[in-house]
Amino acid sequence: MRCAGGWPSDLPSQMPTDARELLQTGIAHHQAGRFDEAATAYREVLRRFPQHADALHMLGVLAHHRGAHEAAVDLIGQALRIIPQHAACHSNLGNALRALGRSAEALRSYRRALELSPDFADAHLNLGNLLQEQGRSADAIAHYRQAVALRPAFAEAHYNLGNALRASGAAQEAIASYRRALDRRPDYAEALNNLGNTLQSLGRLDEALECYVQAIGANPRYAEAWNNVGFVHAAQFRHDAAIAAIGRALEIRPDYPEALQNMGTQYEATGRLDEALDCYRRAVALKPGFAMAHNNIGNALLGLGDLDGSQAAYTSALSLDPELAEAHGNLGNLMQSRGQLDEAIRCVDRALELNPGAADLLWNKAFALLLKGDFEAGWALAEARWQFASPGRVQRRFHAPPWLGTTPVTGRSILLHHEQGLGDTLQMLRYVPLLAAQGARVIVQVPAALAGVAATVPGVDAVVVEGGESPVFDLHCPFMSLPLACATTLATVPAAVPYLFAPASVRAAWSERLAPLRRPRIGLAWSGSVTHRNDRHRSLPLATLLRWLPDTLEYVSLQNEYRPADAPLLQPGGRVRDFADALTDFAATAGLIGELDLVVTVDTAVAHLAGGMGKPTWLLLPFAPDYRWLLGREDSPWYPSMRLLRQPRFGDWGAVATTLREALLARFPAG
């Protein structure tokens, strides 16, 4: 928020020429930011004329600009005792008093300036600033408007008017005010930055980014603009670019808590939780009352598995800001991780009271309801996923209307299309036979990796690869909306397996290739996509899994890519047979699974493929599982051939290891 100073323009004519020139020189230095030179000039005038009001006034303004506000009040006060009718002195005294938090006195000073000079645009601006700080936006806006009416070229007044309009929710008017400020001063970095902020709040991210870049062009060391560039990149999921921009902000201003917080969110988004936690903690050290940073400490600790630390951080955030909806919602996520679903839902409901209709909160509540088994409410809330940005999720537009079960499909063609993970689509392909039985012609659109196995589902009329040309159809439905469209409850899950098959030629090729391997053959999948929000807790290092497995069995990898730490354990002659080169798509993986006796997997797409094939499958689950696995049961309503081996406590893979080993030895006794 910019103040106006009110520089003296009419110096006393009786003042000696050399002193007059000296004061003007001081003002020129002052306006150029050469404060030491300005002080020297002002003091020299006062040495010659100790009661010179303008020199006292300007030395006081200089003290204010240097942050010495008490000295400023004293010096400007001395000037006013000499020239009590000086409007600029009263206005600048108000600025110094405002900086000291003496708002009532500042208000009197500004009003006195305007009594003396009603057309004093600077005083209108300064009074507007004080009123805006006091939450009196309408009064502030009135004074800003008066300032720009009196002085149309007053860029600072247009800028501050824009700030006040934006704060009051008048975004379009704010944009117009910022643009008027920039018409007067094209290199006005702060106006460019705040214009960008307003455009960003309206979702006009590309325009906002252009403004931030122009602000940096005007001031390359503008840390706030660099941070905002990072924010736009982050909103568009360009995490590397965001990290680079925010890093530049922190190079310029290492003690910038908001930039540290934003950097932490980018590290968190890319799985670098330890680095994220360090950023959040540094932000809190700089700004202990930073509630959102405390909240994000909770997020990072939850991701790292420190549930107690996470809960303490959320509690701290809410003690600082009891109405921080994000912290209530995240506390709900924590309670879900603890298996306390009713408490989780209560927390999310409180967040929704504070932020009604927030799509991410509705989405989180849907997870809790589904995990609880309340499918009727959960599927409906899950539709909120289309209302918030997420990488890889875009609500597609089709020429045909969407279908959510409200109209018959008999005699009509329907396109079922992929939208989330590969495992999600494999799970929901079970609905194809139901729709076909109702007389629908079913077309499925899936990624290329799924095309071969999708073609084996009974009732599929045609398979279209994503990115290819879509056929003509009458209706469409995203795969993950099928449970809602088909009114699926816990009691009516379509669980007829198999509904996924390996193409006969693929199965035959694997039978020949695996012929030398002894039985029993156990397929293994121990890690999924690193981008999955629960991957740190659902995936395992191969070395850990191998420690649990009896040596008497033959193990086959069902993964087509490996993490760096796992690769050395897959050398020829090792305990796990590696066929990654042949697992080119899920049809190939299905062929391999068909030749196995059992699949042991973590929660990844392989689990859905094996379960959909009706293959005996043992699923290793973290304590806080994905919604589809429910709580407290060893079986799955989705896959009758699946057994669930759950952590009894958060992070307790040891208990799972014991159960797995004993179960393998019991099912496949040696000898």
Side-chain angles (χ1 to χ4, degrees), residues 86 105 128 355 523:
H86 197 300
E105 296 171 82
N355 190 5

Side-chain angles (χ1 to χ4, degrees), residues 59-60 62-75 96 100:
L59 193 59
L62 181 63
H64 168 61
H65 290 165
R66 284 178 150 173
H69 307 303
E70 292 283 7
V73 169
D74 178 63
L75 288 162
L100 291 168

Side-chain angles (χ1 to χ4, degrees), residues 5 33 57 62 226 246 313 383 497 508-509 528:
H57 173 207
L62 181 63
W226 279 108
I246 300 167
E383 292 300 298
V497 295

